[in-house]
Structures are given as structure tokens and as C-alpha cells.
């Protein structure tokens, strides 16, 4: 029985670390998109940041395809 508890706590720790990693990557994409859109886009930067906030990976790709004026 003690080995099951160790496995369960290991799985929970892995899930927690994975969730933290996803959160950090999502926040980094939002911040980077906002900063880049201020200099490289004719559309408002906060709107692109909102797009990336609500649809992180799709919004990031859309910003690269549609939002950037300069490459």
C-alpha cells in the first residue's frame, strides 16, 4: 500500500509542475505578443494580447500570420 501512495503523490507533483509550465508559457506568449505588437503591428497591441489570452496557441499563430506588418 505505501507504494501506491508514493505513485499517487508523484503523479500529482508531475501534474502540478506541468500545469505551472503551461501557465508560464501562456503568460510569456501574451507578454511577448503585446510587446511585439506595439512595434510591429498596425492593430492595437492589447487586442492581440487578448486574442492570445483566450486562444493561446491559435492566437499566437494568427498573430504571426495576420497581425504582424513587418517580418
Amino acid at each position: 500500500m505505501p507504494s501506491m501512495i508514493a505513485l499517487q503523490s508523484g503523479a500529482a507533483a508531475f501534474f502540478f509542475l506541468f500545469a505551472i509550465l503551461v501557465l508560464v508559457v501562456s503568460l510569456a506568449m501574451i507578454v511577448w505578443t503585446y510587446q511585439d505588437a506595439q512595434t510591429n503591428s498596425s492593430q492595437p497591441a492589447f487586442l492581440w494580447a487578448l486574442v492570445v489570452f483566450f486562444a493561446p496557441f491559435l492566437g499566437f499563430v494568427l498573430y504571426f500570420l495576420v497581425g504582424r506588418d513587418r517580418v
Side-chain angles (χ1 to χ4, degrees):
M1 189 80 166
S3 62
M4 270 183 86
I5 293 171
L7 288 176
Q8 289 173 349
S9 66
F14 175 76
F15 177 76
F16 180 71
L17 289 176
F18 183 73
I20 294 291
L21 178 67
V22 169
L23 178 68
V24 167
V25 169
S26 295
L27 288 174
M29 286 192 319
I30 293 167
V31 169
W32 184 88
T33 302
Y34 180 79
Q35 290 175 346
D36 190 68
Q38 285 181 324
T39 57
N40 296 327
S41 180
S42 58
Q43 291 95 10
F46 75 92
L47 289 179
W48 281 113
L50 284 175
V51 169
V52 174
F53 174 76
F54 286 115
F57 298 107
L58 178 63
F60 197 65
V61 170
L62 282 175
Y63 172 68
F64 269 101
L65 295 177
V66 178
R68 292 185 71 162
D69 296 336
R70 293 188 284 163
V71 177

